[in-house]
Amino acid sequence: GRYTELFFLDEATALAAGHRPCAECQRGRYKEFIEYWGAANAALLGEEKLRAGAVDAVLQAERLGLAGGKVTFRARLGSVPVGCFVALDERPNIAYLVQSSALLEWRPQGYGPLTSASKQADVTVLTPASIVKTISAGFTPAHA
């Protein structure tokens, strides 16, 4: 019965920040997310049942490192699914939403211009690993 009210530009932004859809106000999206998350990340649960608390524990560990900074990882841009966020080496302080043919610059007030990048480029993935797997498994995040 406890939750924190969080508001993001859109669902893709919330997922990149390591948050799942709300089980109360986004019940349908939550159920869909949990189904895909469980299928893509069963090994992360160990003996625990697929439930919000278990998923939240994994997401919390993927959100913040031991020193309190954001956890990221490196990947080839071509392996990152549409709907995830990345940063480019040449512009590390700008987040981009991966689209099918380009990157969409993220800004607090809304999305900016499209940017092209090679699918072979190495990028910093900002979306947590278990959520990247969830999106790869078929969950499609909504974005503004």
Side-chain angles (χ1 to χ4, degrees):
R2 296 182 326 199
Y3 65 94
T4 303
E5 291 183 17
L6 298 171
F7 298 93
F8 293 93
L9 175 63
D10 57 18
E11 187 176 60
T13 304
L15 293 170
H19 298 280
R20 61 169 171 75
C22 177
E24 185 175 315
C25 65
Q26 294 287 319
R27 190 73 178 162
R29 290 299 284 167
Y30 164 78
K31 286 181 173 183
E32 182 181 3
F33 177 83
I34 289 295
E35 179 181 322
Y36 281 108
W37 193 97
N41 296 288
L44 296 176
L45 291 173
E47 298 297 315
E48 285 206 54
K49 290 184 178 181
L50 179 60
R51 57 180 183 73
V55 172
D56 291 347
V58 171
L59 293 178
Q60 178 62 22
E62 291 181 334
R63 234 188 330 266
L64 295 174
L66 297 176
K70 179 158 180 57
V71 175
T72 61
F73 63 96
R74 303 283 293 171
R76 282 269 154 88
L77 180 57
S79 72
V80 180
V82 169
C84 293
F85 276 85
V86 299
L88 303 174
D89 290 346
E90 60 271 15
R91 298 181 81 190
N93 295 324
I94 298 175
Y96 295 93
L97 178 64
V98 176
Q99 300 287 279
S100 59
S101 61
L103 301 174
L104 190 57
E105 185 177 323
W106 183 92
R107 298 175 178 174
Q109 67 274 19
Y111 289 99
L114 286 169
T115 300
S116 62
S118 168
K119 297 285 186 188
Q120 299 303 314
D122 287 325
V123 295
T124 300
V125 181
L126 305 174
T127 302
S130 70
I131 295 177
V132 172
K133 290 178 186 175
T134 303
I135 294 169
S136 291
F139 183 80
T140 303
H143 70 85

